[in-house]
Amino acid sequence: MSNTIDNLLHEARRFAPSEQFAANAVATADLYERASADRLGFWADQARELLHWHTPFTSTLDWSNPPFATWFDDGALNVAYNCLDRHVLAGNGDRVAIHWEGEPGDTRTITYAELTAEVKKAANLLTALGVRAGDRVAIYLPMIPEAVIAMLAVARLGAVHSVVFGGFSAESLRSRIDDAEAKLVITADGGWRKGRVFPLKDAVDAALQGGDTTVEHVLVVKRGENEVAWTEGRDLWWHDEIALVDADHVAAAFPAENPLFILYTSGTTGKPKGILHTSGGYLTQAAFTHKNVFDLRPESDVYWCSADVGWITGHTYVVYGPLANGATQVLYEGTPETPHPGRWWELIEKYKVSIFYTAPTAIRSFMKLGRQHPQKFDLSSLRVLGSVGEPINPEAWMWYREVIGGGETPIVDTWWQTETGAIMVSALPGVTTLKPGSAQVPLPGISIDILDEAGVPVGKDQGGLLVVTEPWPSMLRGIWGDPERFKETYWSKFGDKYFAGDGARYDKDGEIWLLGRVDDVMNVSGHRLSTAEIESALVAHPLTAEAAVVGAADETTGQAVVAFVIIKQNQLEYAESIDVAAELRKHVSEQIGAIARPREIFIVNELPKTRSGKIMRRLLRDVAEGREVGDTTTLADTAVMSSIQSKLS
Ligand code: WTA
């Protein structure tokens, strides 16, 4: 690791904004000045400029009861109204909100007026199904317009959505439904992925099997046309029901701190955390960052963020940021390589995408496929590129700029988390001289520092732990139903400074380089996975006695899941007769989802443990990455590692 860091910090390439870009940029250097002169006043100005408030706020931040913050507390607004109605009222109803493209090539073009009309109907439908402010609605949909419509309809009613990524299993869906006590599930029969329909309704049925659930209804969008089972009285077709409701719906105002959504993310224990976001502060920072980091001109830009709405990036930069800003965007259902490896580039050419936001793992897999694919398409409409999800290595950054960005576009490397709600650290494209591989500087109004273990700020050219030192508008407001875990996870290490769980380093100029997680959270293809969660899935299998999971470096996905498993004594004979690794990989898919499936599973006799019984993952990571095994002196039994290695070779 330290070798890589040294290499990174020697990265000397620098790219200043072109004069023309800088002269026309949406965000200028005076934002930093305004924010540092009066941080809270700056955010209050942003909230007033970027959003419509039904009731204006007078108080900006209340931090009298840390770590529980409120922002714009006495104001009231409607999040969906801000994303829809007000654009129509301002005369922009004919602007395209969504250029949707299905994987098989079918398309829908939806203007702001049409999207507003759809959301009004959906809000009436949800009301008819008993959804009221504060109720939770689970959304388990493919990347179709109804995913956006459903989220906004829930928001319009002041209810709370919990979007569950369609790649998660029935088990994962169930635990999220139960934790949030959702009363309604919105799903589809199926969606298109890699040239095939993957069923979603089946997983909902499996999740709800046996009853004993808070769910009263399942609303099903027809998309895949695949056969589905039907539970009379519980299941309803979206298209049938939506035809019956009124078209008119007046958006009521809700307090700024009204919960907007819960989004589950992996933590260091087996149980995912329900990260809670509220309305006014979240939408302010979503809109501010989307406008300034991406240099957005809503009248002329075509924006595309490739994230699924099941992740925070999809929440903030597919739904809330772009729609609050009245942007035109592309929404694509499928995978990048279907039906051909140039599909994304084809879409950029077709819709003349000017701002493109994706993850380093995608860029690295395109690099592997070769530049001949993007080169078949005209990508000259692109003018800003973004990256999110994990550190982007300088080689991938350079390829992104040269091959996709025509050697000219600025690249913003944006650091943030599910918990931060919106971008926190990033260059501003018309202001910052770019450094490949570094997320660089805190945004205006955001206070970041790097501390050592004792909580002392480190200096230039030094590394430590990334913290946010002042509350920010889109910060998480808690973990659903678990205030103690909220305090313990983020606020117990450094008092009232938010501990992000990432290692970071200042370079000689005092700019920030992210170095990856410092806890037992892995980052696979930009998705957070918990070692503990996968371990508990593995030991839930009847063959498994014990399991240890590590994130091993992977050229394409950043990290990959590698598992070490001990088989139960009485199962050894049976295990000999089957493909154990395949069986366990399938099991993890069923328990959590395909994204958590280990790349490799090693069957071993023992695991390396300290005298106090803690698994030494560091040594397993050495094995998984094919390195010489490091210091083993703290092992209870120093022979374990040679026993493991002899099993593998
Ligand atoms: C990592 C995704 C380096 C980091 C928005 C963080 C990054 C975790 C970057 C959050 C970046 C995200 N550079 N690392 N630009 N962006 N990360 O909650 O480890 O899915 O803690 O949010 O991803 O992942 P999450």
Side-chain angles (χ1 to χ4, degrees), residues 371-394:
R371 57 181 70 200
Q372 69 278 13
H373 299 294
Q375 279 171 348
K376 280 186 210 136
F377 300 96
D378 177 6
L379 307 181
S380 62
S381 54
L382 288 170
R383 56 178 205 86
V384 179
L385 300 175
S387 173
V388 61
E390 54 176 312
I392 176 164
N393 46 310

Side-chain angles (χ1 to χ4, degrees), residues 305-370:
C305 167
S306 70
D308 191 283
V309 291
W311 307 106
I312 190 67
T313 308
H315 281 60
T316 309
Y317 298 106
V318 174
V319 181
Y320 292 109
L323 296 176
N325 288 334
T328 294
Q329 70 176 318
V330 171
L331 190 72
Y332 172 55
E333 180 186 31
T335 51
E337 65 279 4
T338 311
H340 61 79
R343 186 69 191 275
W344 276 13
W345 320 122
E346 181 182 50
L347 291 174
I348 290 177
E349 176 183 282
K350 176 172 176 186
Y351 294 107
K352 301 197 167 45
V353 172
S354 52
I355 305 169
F356 182 54
Y357 191 29
T358 193
T361 182
I363 298 162
R364 287 192 300 266
S365 43
F366 290 126
M367 276 173 83
K368 255 199 195 156
L369 288 170

Side-chain angles (χ1 to χ4, degrees), residues 263-266 275 311-314 317 357 360 387-392 412-423 425 437-439 466 498 500-503 513-519 521-523 526-529:
L263 184 59
Y264 288 84
T265 187
S266 298
I275 303 299
W311 307 106
I312 190 67
T313 308
Y317 298 106
Y357 191 29
S387 173
V388 61
E390 54 176 312
I392 176 164
V412 285
D413 176 3
T414 62
W415 178 87
W416 59 295
Q417 309 176 298
T418 306
E419 292 87 341
T420 69
I423 299 171
V425 179
S438 166
L466 189 84
Y498 170 85
D502 277 7
W513 295 69
L514 272 308
L515 305 173
R517 302 287 308 187
V518 294
D519 51 15
V521 173
M522 294 170 286
N523 190 326
H527 300 318
R528 271 162 73 171
L529 296 172

Side-chain angles (χ1 to χ4, degrees), residues 511-539:
E511 295 195 347
I512 299 166
W513 295 69
L514 272 308
L515 305 173
R517 302 287 308 187
V518 294
D519 51 15
D520 289 330
V521 173
M522 294 170 286
N523 190 326
V524 178
S525 296
H527 300 318
R528 271 162 73 171
L529 296 172
S530 136
T531 51
E533 196 181 353
I534 301 176
E535 284 165 4
S536 76
L538 284 167
V539 294

